[in-house]
Amino acid sequence: MLVVMSVGATDEEVQTVRDHIEGDGLTPHESRGEQRVIIGVVGDVGPRKEQVMNHLAVLPGVESVTPISKPFKLTSRDFRQEDTVIRVGETTIGGGSLTVMAGPCAIESRDQMLTTADAVAAAGATILRGGAFKPRTSPYSFQGLGMDGVRFLTEARERTGLPVVTEVMEPNQVQPVALHADILQIGARNMQNFPLLMAAGKVQRPIMLKRGISATVEEWLMAAEYIVSSGNPEVILCERGIRTFETYTRNTLDLAAVPLLHHLTHLPVIVDPSHATGKRWLVRPMAVAAVAAGADGIMVEVHPNPDDALSDGEQSLTLDQFSAMAPVLRTVHGQVRGLPTG
Ligand code: PEP
Ligand code: MN
């Protein structure tokens, strides 16, 4: 349920409401908007719901108490009307800016990572990506360089000044990788790895949560809800295509999910046209379309020599292709920003 405080409610009144919620064995989550404070109440209230609502409704400073009909609560627009804006280093994600994440699928060597980083930074990327722990479909495929890869990625950050994002696959990796990376990625295959989601909720790093291969939007938002309700409000959603009957593309890019998510949630939405299409020549048109659809940014795979890549070469842009694409995205973003999305 949502406790909407009246405009001008005092901090003491907010605190009293929080105390009552905790007294009922539930957890308060506060959202401070420009106008007023909204307190999301989560927990298993069961048949006491009406009683708890009536009890909170009469406290001083409370304007209304309403049930949240959607299963996702803290991630919903009902809880927070303003876009969540995530600050990472010098850059912000969400709230009208354009985020461009770029880098290799897998970090293969120091030279490959640094060469890619220098090129994408010069071309205007705002965040560097690189996979160190790789979730590969085949156990015989390159599995990533692990913590050595993370070190090359952080070296790339020192050189370029850009924040870095890398994937974690199991709860034990969350803390050690969070010491080095600015953003942690949870990949499509792990979208419903609940222990991983809860571990990601315990670190002070933004989490980029990719959509599961066959996940509905609601399942995806419920996965985000795990992270937020575990204590980490900084979640970025990444649409990366879903599996359908179509086989020409690696996945089917669900671009309607972008405005849909902006309607349902305050969290920023990024689109990954590389994994969504699986084909290098489809990446640019879909990246442009994603920005036109209102995405807060894109994430693309880039490799100095895609034909020799150890992972996802067919969908990786060359350095030149990325440099040619980046200004187009900025132009499209300039055209569509501020336009109504619904
Ligand atoms: C990746 O970003 O390299 C990756 C493995 O993506 P996904 O989880 O979307 O397949
Ligand atoms: Mn990849």
Short mmCIF file of all heavy atoms in Angstrom, two decimals, residues 196-266:
data_model
loop_
_atom_site.label_atom_id
_atom_site.label_comp_id
_atom_site.label_asym_id
_atom_site.label_seq_id
_atom_site.Cartn_x
_atom_site.Cartn_y
_atom_site.Cartn_z
N LEU A 196 20.91 -13.98 -6.23
CA LEU A 196 21.75 -12.96 -6.86
C LEU A 196 21.07 -11.59 -6.79
O LEU A 196 21.70 -10.57 -6.50
CB LEU A 196 22.04 -13.35 -8.32
CG LEU A 196 22.90 -12.38 -9.13
CD1 LEU A 196 24.28 -12.20 -8.50
CD2 LEU A 196 23.06 -12.89 -10.58
N LEU A 197 19.77 -11.56 -7.06
CA LEU A 197 19.04 -10.29 -7.01
C LEU A 197 19.09 -9.70 -5.60
O LEU A 197 19.30 -8.50 -5.41
CB LEU A 197 17.57 -10.49 -7.43
CG LEU A 197 17.34 -10.99 -8.86
CD1 LEU A 197 15.86 -11.30 -9.07
CD2 LEU A 197 17.83 -9.98 -9.89
N MET A 198 18.94 -10.56 -4.59
CA MET A 198 18.95 -10.06 -3.21
C MET A 198 20.36 -9.59 -2.82
O MET A 198 20.50 -8.58 -2.14
CB MET A 198 18.42 -11.12 -2.25
CG MET A 198 16.90 -11.26 -2.40
SD MET A 198 16.14 -12.33 -1.18
CE MET A 198 16.41 -13.92 -1.91
N ALA A 199 21.38 -10.30 -3.30
CA ALA A 199 22.75 -9.84 -3.03
C ALA A 199 23.00 -8.50 -3.71
O ALA A 199 23.64 -7.61 -3.14
CB ALA A 199 23.76 -10.89 -3.52
N ALA A 200 22.46 -8.31 -4.90
CA ALA A 200 22.61 -7.04 -5.63
C ALA A 200 21.88 -5.91 -4.90
O ALA A 200 22.24 -4.75 -5.02
CB ALA A 200 22.09 -7.18 -7.05
N GLY A 201 20.88 -6.29 -4.14
CA GLY A 201 20.13 -5.29 -3.36
C GLY A 201 20.90 -4.80 -2.15
O GLY A 201 20.50 -3.83 -1.50
N LYS A 202 22.01 -5.47 -1.84
CA LYS A 202 22.75 -5.13 -0.61
C LYS A 202 24.00 -4.29 -0.90
O LYS A 202 24.73 -3.96 0.03
CB LYS A 202 23.17 -6.42 0.11
CG LYS A 202 22.01 -7.31 0.55
CD LYS A 202 21.60 -6.96 1.95
CE LYS A 202 20.38 -7.66 2.49
NZ LYS A 202 19.34 -8.10 1.60
N VAL A 203 24.29 -4.00 -2.17
CA VAL A 203 25.49 -3.21 -2.46
C VAL A 203 25.11 -1.80 -2.90
O VAL A 203 24.02 -1.57 -3.42
CB VAL A 203 26.39 -3.81 -3.58
CG1 VAL A 203 27.22 -4.94 -3.06
CG2 VAL A 203 25.60 -4.19 -4.80
N GLN A 204 26.06 -0.89 -2.71
CA GLN A 204 25.79 0.49 -3.11
C GLN A 204 26.37 0.74 -4.50
O GLN A 204 27.26 1.56 -4.68
CB GLN A 204 26.38 1.44 -2.08
CG GLN A 204 25.59 1.36 -0.79
CD GLN A 204 25.97 2.46 0.18
OE1 GLN A 204 27.02 3.08 0.06
NE2 GLN A 204 25.11 2.69 1.15
N ARG A 205 25.84 0.00 -5.45
CA ARG A 205 26.23 0.18 -6.85
C ARG A 205 24.96 0.04 -7.66
O ARG A 205 24.13 -0.85 -7.37
CB ARG A 205 27.19 -0.93 -7.30
CG ARG A 205 28.58 -0.82 -6.78
CD ARG A 205 29.40 0.19 -7.58
NE ARG A 205 30.75 0.33 -7.05
CZ ARG A 205 31.10 1.18 -6.09
NH1 ARG A 205 30.20 1.98 -5.57
NH2 ARG A 205 32.34 1.25 -5.65
N PRO A 206 24.79 0.86 -8.70
CA PRO A 206 23.62 0.64 -9.57
C PRO A 206 23.70 -0.75 -10.21
O PRO A 206 24.78 -1.25 -10.50
CB PRO A 206 23.76 1.73 -10.63
CG PRO A 206 24.66 2.76 -10.03
CD PRO A 206 25.59 2.02 -9.11
N ILE A 207 22.53 -1.32 -10.44
CA ILE A 207 22.45 -2.66 -11.04
C ILE A 207 21.73 -2.53 -12.39
O ILE A 207 20.62 -1.99 -12.46
CB ILE A 207 21.63 -3.62 -10.16
CG1 ILE A 207 22.16 -3.65 -8.70
CG2 ILE A 207 21.58 -5.02 -10.77
CD1 ILE A 207 23.55 -4.19 -8.52
N MET A 208 22.36 -3.01 -13.44
CA MET A 208 21.65 -3.07 -14.72
C MET A 208 21.08 -4.48 -14.87
O MET A 208 21.82 -5.46 -14.96
CB MET A 208 22.56 -2.74 -15.89
CG MET A 208 21.74 -2.70 -17.18
SD MET A 208 22.56 -1.86 -18.50
CE MET A 208 23.67 -3.12 -18.98
N LEU A 209 19.76 -4.54 -14.89
CA LEU A 209 19.06 -5.83 -14.92
C LEU A 209 18.54 -6.08 -16.32
O LEU A 209 17.63 -5.40 -16.80
CB LEU A 209 17.90 -5.79 -13.92
CG LEU A 209 17.04 -7.05 -13.84
CD1 LEU A 209 17.85 -8.24 -13.31
CD2 LEU A 209 15.82 -6.81 -12.94
N LYS A 210 19.10 -7.08 -16.99
CA LYS A 210 18.64 -7.40 -18.34
C LYS A 210 17.37 -8.25 -18.29
O LYS A 210 17.15 -8.99 -17.33
CB LYS A 210 19.76 -8.10 -19.11
CG LYS A 210 21.01 -7.20 -19.23
CD LYS A 210 22.04 -7.74 -20.17
CE LYS A 210 21.85 -7.19 -21.56
NZ LYS A 210 22.91 -7.63 -22.49
N ARG A 211 16.57 -8.10 -19.32
CA ARG A 211 15.33 -8.86 -19.38
C ARG A 211 15.63 -10.33 -19.67
O ARG A 211 16.43 -10.64 -20.55
CB ARG A 211 14.46 -8.28 -20.50
CG ARG A 211 13.11 -8.97 -20.62
CD ARG A 211 12.30 -8.31 -21.70
NE ARG A 211 10.94 -8.84 -21.72
CZ ARG A 211 9.99 -8.35 -22.48
NH1 ARG A 211 10.23 -7.32 -23.29
NH2 ARG A 211 8.77 -8.88 -22.46
N GLY A 212 14.99 -11.21 -18.95
CA GLY A 212 15.16 -12.65 -19.18
C GLY A 212 14.71 -13.03 -20.58
O GLY A 212 13.84 -12.38 -21.17
N ILE A 213 15.27 -14.10 -21.09
CA ILE A 213 15.04 -14.51 -22.48
C ILE A 213 13.56 -14.74 -22.76
O ILE A 213 13.07 -14.48 -23.85
CB ILE A 213 15.90 -15.75 -22.78
CG1 ILE A 213 17.37 -15.31 -22.84
CG2 ILE A 213 15.50 -16.44 -24.08
CD1 ILE A 213 18.37 -16.41 -22.89
N SER A 214 12.83 -15.22 -21.76
CA SER A 214 11.39 -15.44 -21.99
C SER A 214 10.57 -14.76 -20.90
O SER A 214 9.50 -15.22 -20.55
CB SER A 214 11.08 -16.93 -22.04
OG SER A 214 11.45 -17.51 -20.80
N ALA A 215 11.08 -13.64 -20.40
CA ALA A 215 10.40 -12.97 -19.29
C ALA A 215 9.35 -11.98 -19.77
O ALA A 215 9.59 -11.22 -20.72
CB ALA A 215 11.41 -12.24 -18.42
N THR A 216 8.21 -11.99 -19.12
CA THR A 216 7.22 -10.94 -19.37
C THR A 216 7.71 -9.66 -18.68
O THR A 216 8.57 -9.70 -17.80
CB THR A 216 5.85 -11.31 -18.77
OG1 THR A 216 6.01 -11.40 -17.34
CG2 THR A 216 5.33 -12.63 -19.31
N VAL A 217 7.11 -8.56 -19.08
CA VAL A 217 7.47 -7.28 -18.45
C VAL A 217 7.19 -7.34 -16.94
O VAL A 217 7.97 -6.85 -16.13
CB VAL A 217 6.71 -6.13 -19.14
CG1 VAL A 217 6.76 -4.84 -18.32
CG2 VAL A 217 7.30 -5.88 -20.54
N GLU A 218 6.10 -8.00 -16.59
CA GLU A 218 5.77 -8.07 -15.16
C GLU A 218 6.80 -8.90 -14.38
O GLU A 218 7.22 -8.51 -13.28
CB GLU A 218 4.36 -8.65 -14.97
CG GLU A 218 3.91 -8.56 -13.53
CD GLU A 218 2.43 -8.84 -13.39
OE1 GLU A 218 1.62 -8.07 -13.93
OE2 GLU A 218 2.09 -9.85 -12.75
N GLU A 219 7.22 -10.01 -14.96
CA GLU A 219 8.24 -10.82 -14.28
C GLU A 219 9.55 -10.03 -14.12
O GLU A 219 10.25 -10.12 -13.10
CB GLU A 219 8.52 -12.11 -15.07
CG GLU A 219 7.39 -13.12 -14.96
CD GLU A 219 7.44 -14.21 -16.03
OE1 GLU A 219 8.11 -14.04 -17.07
OE2 GLU A 219 6.78 -15.24 -15.82
N TRP A 220 9.85 -9.27 -15.16
CA TRP A 220 11.07 -8.45 -15.15
C TRP A 220 10.98 -7.39 -14.04
O TRP A 220 11.92 -7.21 -13.27
CB TRP A 220 11.18 -7.81 -16.53
CG TRP A 220 12.40 -7.08 -16.89
CD1 TRP A 220 13.60 -7.03 -16.24
CD2 TRP A 220 12.54 -6.26 -18.05
NE1 TRP A 220 14.47 -6.24 -16.93
CE2 TRP A 220 13.85 -5.75 -18.04
CE3 TRP A 220 11.69 -5.91 -19.11
CZ2 TRP A 220 14.32 -4.90 -19.05
CZ3 TRP A 220 12.15 -5.07 -20.10
CH2 TRP A 220 13.45 -4.57 -20.08
N LEU A 221 9.85 -6.73 -13.95
CA LEU A 221 9.69 -5.72 -12.90
C LEU A 221 9.69 -6.34 -11.51
O LEU A 221 10.16 -5.74 -10.55
CB LEU A 221 8.42 -4.89 -13.14
CG LEU A 221 8.56 -3.91 -14.31
CD1 LEU A 221 7.21 -3.27 -14.64
CD2 LEU A 221 9.60 -2.82 -14.02
N MET A 222 9.17 -7.56 -11.41
CA MET A 222 9.21 -8.24 -10.11
C MET A 222 10.66 -8.58 -9.73
O MET A 222 11.03 -8.55 -8.55
CB MET A 222 8.36 -9.51 -10.14
CG MET A 222 6.86 -9.26 -10.26
SD MET A 222 6.24 -8.09 -9.05
CE MET A 222 6.26 -9.11 -7.59
N ALA A 223 11.47 -8.91 -10.75
CA ALA A 223 12.90 -9.16 -10.48
C ALA A 223 13.57 -7.87 -10.00
O ALA A 223 14.36 -7.88 -9.03
CB ALA A 223 13.57 -9.69 -11.74
N ALA A 224 13.22 -6.75 -10.65
CA ALA A 224 13.76 -5.45 -10.20
C ALA A 224 13.29 -5.15 -8.78
O ALA A 224 14.04 -4.61 -7.96
CB ALA A 224 13.32 -4.34 -11.16
N GLU A 225 12.07 -5.54 -8.49
CA GLU A 225 11.50 -5.31 -7.16
C GLU A 225 12.31 -6.04 -6.08
O GLU A 225 12.46 -5.54 -4.97
CB GLU A 225 10.03 -5.77 -7.16
CG GLU A 225 9.24 -5.42 -5.94
CD GLU A 225 8.67 -3.99 -5.94
OE1 GLU A 225 8.68 -3.33 -7.00
OE2 GLU A 225 8.24 -3.54 -4.87
N TYR A 226 12.82 -7.22 -6.42
CA TYR A 226 13.69 -7.94 -5.47
C TYR A 226 14.89 -7.09 -5.08
O TYR A 226 15.27 -7.03 -3.92
CB TYR A 226 14.22 -9.24 -6.11
CG TYR A 226 13.43 -10.48 -5.72
CD1 TYR A 226 12.37 -10.91 -6.49
CD2 TYR A 226 13.79 -11.22 -4.59
CE1 TYR A 226 11.65 -12.04 -6.14
CE2 TYR A 226 13.08 -12.36 -4.24
CZ TYR A 226 12.01 -12.76 -5.02
OH TYR A 226 11.31 -13.87 -4.66
N ILE A 227 15.49 -6.46 -6.08
CA ILE A 227 16.71 -5.67 -5.81
C ILE A 227 16.34 -4.44 -4.98
O ILE A 227 16.98 -4.15 -3.97
CB ILE A 227 17.38 -5.23 -7.14
CG1 ILE A 227 17.72 -6.46 -7.99
CG2 ILE A 227 18.61 -4.38 -6.87
CD1 ILE A 227 18.18 -6.13 -9.40
N VAL A 228 15.28 -3.74 -5.40
CA VAL A 228 14.92 -2.49 -4.71
C VAL A 228 14.46 -2.79 -3.29
O VAL A 228 14.86 -2.12 -2.34
CB VAL A 228 13.85 -1.72 -5.52
CG1 VAL A 228 13.45 -0.45 -4.78
CG2 VAL A 228 14.35 -1.38 -6.92
N SER A 229 13.65 -3.83 -3.13
CA SER A 229 13.12 -4.11 -1.78
C SER A 229 14.22 -4.66 -0.88
O SER A 229 14.09 -4.65 0.34
CB SER A 229 11.93 -5.07 -1.84
OG SER A 229 12.35 -6.33 -2.32
N SER A 230 15.33 -5.14 -1.47
CA SER A 230 16.45 -5.59 -0.63
C SER A 230 17.33 -4.41 -0.22
O SER A 230 18.34 -4.61 0.47
CB SER A 230 17.31 -6.60 -1.39
OG SER A 230 16.55 -7.73 -1.73
N GLY A 231 17.02 -3.20 -0.72
CA GLY A 231 17.75 -2.03 -0.23
C GLY A 231 18.47 -1.21 -1.27
O GLY A 231 19.12 -0.22 -0.94
N ASN A 232 18.41 -1.61 -2.54
CA ASN A 232 19.14 -0.85 -3.57
C ASN A 232 18.14 -0.25 -4.58
O ASN A 232 17.63 -0.95 -5.44
CB ASN A 232 20.12 -1.79 -4.28
CG ASN A 232 21.02 -1.05 -5.25
OD1 ASN A 232 20.79 0.12 -5.55
ND2 ASN A 232 22.04 -1.74 -5.74
N PRO A 233 17.91 1.06 -4.49
CA PRO A 233 16.90 1.67 -5.38
C PRO A 233 17.42 1.94 -6.79
O PRO A 233 16.65 2.35 -7.66
CB PRO A 233 16.58 2.99 -4.67
CG PRO A 233 17.81 3.32 -3.89
CD PRO A 233 18.49 2.02 -3.54
N GLU A 234 18.73 1.73 -7.02
CA GLU A 234 19.31 2.15 -8.30
C GLU A 234 19.37 0.98 -9.29
O GLU A 234 20.38 0.28 -9.40
CB GLU A 234 20.69 2.75 -8.07
CG GLU A 234 20.61 3.95 -7.14
CD GLU A 234 21.77 4.89 -7.29
OE1 GLU A 234 22.92 4.40 -7.29
OE2 GLU A 234 21.54 6.11 -7.41
N VAL A 235 18.26 0.78 -9.98
CA VAL A 235 18.18 -0.30 -10.96
C VAL A 235 17.93 0.30 -12.34
O VAL A 235 17.11 1.20 -12.50
CB VAL A 235 17.05 -1.29 -10.60
CG1 VAL A 235 16.91 -2.39 -11.65
CG2 VAL A 235 17.29 -1.92 -9.23
N ILE A 236 18.67 -0.21 -13.31
CA ILE A 236 18.50 0.19 -14.71
C ILE A 236 17.96 -1.05 -15.43
O ILE A 236 18.53 -2.14 -15.28
CB ILE A 236 19.87 0.57 -15.33
CG1 ILE A 236 20.55 1.68 -14.51
CG2 ILE A 236 19.73 0.94 -16.79
CD1 ILE A 236 22.07 1.65 -14.60
N LEU A 237 16.90 -0.89 -16.19
CA LEU A 237 16.35 -2.03 -16.92
C LEU A 237 16.96 -2.06 -18.33
O LEU A 237 17.10 -1.01 -18.96
CB LEU A 237 14.83 -1.91 -17.02
CG LEU A 237 14.12 -1.89 -15.66
CD1 LEU A 237 12.68 -1.42 -15.82
CD2 LEU A 237 14.17 -3.26 -15.00
N CYS A 238 17.31 -3.24 -18.80
CA CYS A 238 17.89 -3.33 -20.14
C CYS A 238 17.12 -4.35 -20.99
O CYS A 238 17.17 -5.55 -20.72
CB CYS A 238 19.37 -3.70 -20.06
SG CYS A 238 20.13 -3.88 -21.68
N GLU A 239 16.42 -3.83 -21.98
CA GLU A 239 15.70 -4.68 -22.94
C GLU A 239 16.72 -5.22 -23.94
O GLU A 239 17.44 -4.45 -24.58
CB GLU A 239 14.62 -3.85 -23.65
CG GLU A 239 14.09 -4.42 -24.97
CD GLU A 239 13.37 -5.75 -24.83
OE1 GLU A 239 12.65 -5.96 -23.83
OE2 GLU A 239 13.53 -6.58 -25.75
N ARG A 240 16.79 -6.54 -24.07
CA ARG A 240 17.82 -7.16 -24.92
C ARG A 240 17.22 -8.21 -25.84
O ARG A 240 17.91 -9.09 -26.34
CB ARG A 240 18.97 -7.72 -24.08
CG ARG A 240 18.54 -8.51 -22.87
CD ARG A 240 18.08 -9.92 -23.17
NE ARG A 240 19.20 -10.78 -23.49
CZ ARG A 240 19.09 -11.85 -24.28
NH1 ARG A 240 17.90 -12.19 -24.79
NH2 ARG A 240 20.13 -12.60 -24.53
N GLY A 241 15.89 -8.08 -26.05
CA GLY A 241 15.24 -9.03 -26.95
C GLY A 241 14.77 -10.26 -26.21
O GLY A 241 15.34 -10.65 -25.20
N ILE A 242 13.69 -10.82 -26.72
CA ILE A 242 13.12 -12.02 -26.12
C ILE A 242 13.04 -13.12 -27.18
O ILE A 242 13.07 -12.83 -28.37
CB ILE A 242 11.71 -11.74 -25.54
CG1 ILE A 242 10.85 -10.95 -26.55
CG2 ILE A 242 11.81 -11.01 -24.21
CD1 ILE A 242 9.44 -10.70 -26.10
N ARG A 243 12.92 -14.34 -26.73
CA ARG A 243 12.88 -15.45 -27.69
C ARG A 243 11.47 -15.61 -28.25
O ARG A 243 10.50 -15.69 -27.50
CB ARG A 243 13.32 -16.74 -27.01
CG ARG A 243 13.32 -17.90 -27.96
CD ARG A 243 14.12 -19.04 -27.43
NE ARG A 243 15.54 -18.72 -27.36
CZ ARG A 243 16.45 -19.52 -26.81
NH1 ARG A 243 16.08 -20.66 -26.27
NH2 ARG A 243 17.72 -19.18 -26.79
N THR A 244 11.40 -15.61 -29.56
CA THR A 244 10.11 -15.85 -30.22
C THR A 244 10.33 -16.93 -31.28
O THR A 244 11.40 -17.51 -31.36
CB THR A 244 9.59 -14.57 -30.90
OG1 THR A 244 10.46 -14.25 -32.01
CG2 THR A 244 9.54 -13.38 -29.95
N PHE A 245 9.31 -17.14 -32.13
CA PHE A 245 9.46 -18.15 -33.20
C PHE A 245 10.36 -17.66 -34.32
O PHE A 245 10.75 -18.41 -35.19
CB PHE A 245 8.08 -18.52 -33.76
CG PHE A 245 7.25 -17.32 -34.13
CD1 PHE A 245 7.48 -16.66 -35.33
CD2 PHE A 245 6.29 -16.84 -33.26
CE1 PHE A 245 6.74 -15.55 -35.66
CE2 PHE A 245 5.55 -15.72 -33.59
CZ PHE A 245 5.76 -15.07 -34.79
N GLU A 246 10.72 -16.37 -34.34
CA GLU A 246 11.55 -15.82 -35.42
C GLU A 246 12.99 -16.28 -35.26
O GLU A 246 13.53 -16.27 -34.16
CB GLU A 246 11.47 -14.29 -35.37
CG GLU A 246 12.26 -13.61 -36.46
CD GLU A 246 11.91 -14.12 -37.84
OE1 GLU A 246 10.80 -13.85 -38.29
OE2 GLU A 246 12.74 -14.81 -38.47
N THR A 247 13.59 -16.71 -36.35
CA THR A 247 14.97 -17.20 -36.24
C THR A 247 15.98 -16.37 -37.05
O THR A 247 17.18 -16.58 -36.91
CB THR A 247 15.07 -18.66 -36.71
OG1 THR A 247 14.50 -18.76 -38.01
CG2 THR A 247 14.35 -19.60 -35.76
N TYR A 248 15.51 -15.44 -37.88
CA TYR A 248 16.48 -14.62 -38.62
C TYR A 248 17.29 -13.74 -37.68
O TYR A 248 18.46 -13.46 -37.92
CB TYR A 248 15.78 -13.74 -39.67
CG TYR A 248 15.71 -14.42 -41.02
CD1 TYR A 248 14.51 -14.90 -41.51
CD2 TYR A 248 16.86 -14.58 -41.79
CE1 TYR A 248 14.44 -15.54 -42.74
CE2 TYR A 248 16.81 -15.21 -43.02
CZ TYR A 248 15.59 -15.70 -43.49
OH TYR A 248 15.55 -16.32 -44.70
N THR A 249 16.62 -13.29 -36.62
CA THR A 249 17.34 -12.50 -35.62
C THR A 249 17.57 -13.39 -34.39
O THR A 249 16.81 -14.32 -34.14
CB THR A 249 16.52 -11.26 -35.21
OG1 THR A 249 15.17 -11.66 -34.95
CG2 THR A 249 16.54 -10.20 -36.30
N ARG A 250 18.62 -13.07 -33.64
CA ARG A 250 18.97 -13.90 -32.47
C ARG A 250 17.82 -13.90 -31.45
O ARG A 250 17.50 -14.90 -30.84
CB ARG A 250 20.25 -13.34 -31.85
CG ARG A 250 20.75 -14.14 -30.68
CD ARG A 250 22.10 -13.60 -30.18
NE ARG A 250 22.54 -14.36 -29.03
CZ ARG A 250 23.63 -14.11 -28.33
NH1 ARG A 250 24.41 -13.10 -28.67
NH2 ARG A 250 23.96 -14.85 -27.30
N ASN A 251 17.24 -12.71 -31.28
CA ASN A 251 16.06 -12.55 -30.41
C ASN A 251 15.13 -11.57 -31.11
O ASN A 251 15.46 -11.06 -32.19
CB ASN A 251 16.48 -12.00 -29.05
CG ASN A 251 17.30 -13.00 -28.25
OD1 ASN A 251 16.76 -13.99 -27.77
ND2 ASN A 251 18.59 -12.78 -28.15
N THR A 252 13.99 -11.30 -30.52
CA THR A 252 13.09 -10.30 -31.08
C THR A 252 13.10 -9.09 -30.15
O THR A 252 12.77 -9.21 -28.96
CB THR A 252 11.66 -10.88 -31.20
OG1 THR A 252 11.71 -11.98 -32.13
CG2 THR A 252 10.68 -9.84 -31.71
N LEU A 253 13.51 -7.96 -30.70
CA LEU A 253 13.61 -6.75 -29.88
C LEU A 253 12.21 -6.21 -29.60
O LEU A 253 11.47 -5.88 -30.52
CB LEU A 253 14.47 -5.70 -30.59
CG LEU A 253 14.66 -4.36 -29.87
CD1 LEU A 253 15.23 -4.54 -28.48
CD2 LEU A 253 15.56 -3.44 -30.68
N ASP A 254 11.87 -6.13 -28.34
CA ASP A 254 10.55 -5.64 -27.93
C ASP A 254 10.66 -4.15 -27.63
O ASP A 254 10.83 -3.74 -26.48
CB ASP A 254 10.08 -6.43 -26.70
CG ASP A 254 8.70 -5.98 -26.21
OD1 ASP A 254 8.05 -5.20 -26.92
OD2 ASP A 254 8.31 -6.42 -25.11
N LEU A 255 10.54 -3.35 -28.69
CA LEU A 255 10.71 -1.90 -28.48
C LEU A 255 9.52 -1.26 -27.81
O LEU A 255 9.65 -0.22 -27.17
CB LEU A 255 10.98 -1.21 -29.82
CG LEU A 255 12.43 -1.10 -30.24
CD1 LEU A 255 12.55 -0.18 -31.45
CD2 LEU A 255 13.31 -0.58 -29.11
N ALA A 256 8.34 -1.89 -27.96
CA ALA A 256 7.17 -1.34 -27.27
C ALA A 256 7.37 -1.38 -25.76
O ALA A 256 6.74 -0.62 -25.01
CB ALA A 256 5.92 -2.12 -27.65
N ALA A 257 8.27 -2.25 -25.32
CA ALA A 257 8.54 -2.32 -23.87
C ALA A 257 9.10 -1.00 -23.35
O ALA A 257 8.96 -0.69 -22.17
CB ALA A 257 9.51 -3.46 -23.57
N VAL A 258 9.74 -0.22 -24.23
CA VAL A 258 10.37 1.03 -23.76
C VAL A 258 9.31 2.03 -23.26
O VAL A 258 9.32 2.40 -22.07
CB VAL A 258 11.30 1.64 -24.84
CG1 VAL A 258 11.81 3.00 -24.41
CG2 VAL A 258 12.45 0.69 -25.14
N PRO A 259 8.38 2.47 -24.14
CA PRO A 259 7.35 3.38 -23.60
C PRO A 259 6.46 2.70 -22.55
O PRO A 259 5.99 3.35 -21.62
CB PRO A 259 6.54 3.80 -24.84
CG PRO A 259 6.90 2.82 -25.91
CD PRO A 259 8.26 2.29 -25.59
N LEU A 260 6.26 1.39 -22.70
CA LEU A 260 5.45 0.68 -21.70
C LEU A 260 6.10 0.78 -20.31
O LEU A 260 5.45 1.10 -19.32
CB LEU A 260 5.28 -0.79 -22.12
CG LEU A 260 4.57 -1.69 -21.11
CD1 LEU A 260 3.14 -1.24 -20.89
CD2 LEU A 260 4.60 -3.15 -21.58
N LEU A 261 7.40 0.53 -20.29
CA LEU A 261 8.10 0.60 -19.00
C LEU A 261 8.10 2.02 -18.44
O LEU A 261 7.95 2.21 -17.23
CB LEU A 261 9.54 0.09 -19.14
CG LEU A 261 9.66 -1.43 -19.27
CD1 LEU A 261 11.05 -1.81 -19.75
CD2 LEU A 261 9.36 -2.13 -17.95
N HIS A 262 8.26 3.01 -19.33
CA HIS A 262 8.22 4.39 -18.82
C HIS A 262 6.87 4.69 -18.18
O HIS A 262 6.78 5.51 -17.27
CB HIS A 262 8.52 5.39 -19.94
CG HIS A 262 9.99 5.47 -20.28
ND1 HIS A 262 10.99 5.43 -19.33
CD2 HIS A 262 10.63 5.59 -21.46
CE1 HIS A 262 12.17 5.53 -19.91
NE2 HIS A 262 11.98 5.62 -21.22
N HIS A 263 5.85 4.02 -18.67
CA HIS A 263 4.50 4.19 -18.11
C HIS A 263 4.39 3.48 -16.75
O HIS A 263 3.79 4.00 -15.82
CB HIS A 263 3.51 3.61 -19.13
CG HIS A 263 2.09 3.69 -18.72
ND1 HIS A 263 1.37 4.87 -18.77
CD2 HIS A 263 1.24 2.75 -18.26
CE1 HIS A 263 0.14 4.63 -18.35
NE2 HIS A 263 0.04 3.36 -18.04
N LEU A 264 4.96 2.28 -16.67
CA LEU A 264 4.76 1.45 -15.49
C LEU A 264 5.74 1.74 -14.35
O LEU A 264 5.43 1.50 -13.19
CB LEU A 264 4.92 -0.04 -15.86
CG LEU A 264 3.87 -0.64 -16.80
CD1 LEU A 264 4.28 -2.06 -17.18
CD2 LEU A 264 2.50 -0.64 -16.11
N THR A 265 6.94 2.19 -14.72
CA THR A 265 7.99 2.31 -13.71
C THR A 265 8.77 3.62 -13.87
O THR A 265 8.81 4.18 -14.96
CB THR A 265 8.96 1.10 -13.79
OG1 THR A 265 10.01 1.26 -12.82
CG2 THR A 265 9.60 0.96 -15.16
N HIS A 266 9.39 4.03 -12.78
CA HIS A 266 10.23 5.24 -12.78
C HIS A 266 11.68 4.91 -13.10
O HIS A 266 12.52 5.80 -13.17
CB HIS A 266 10.13 5.92 -11.41
CG HIS A 266 10.35 4.96 -10.26
ND1 HIS A 266 11.60 4.62 -9.82
CD2 HIS A 266 9.47 4.24 -9.51
CE1 HIS A 266 11.49 3.75 -8.82
NE2 HIS A 266 10.21 3.48 -8.62
#
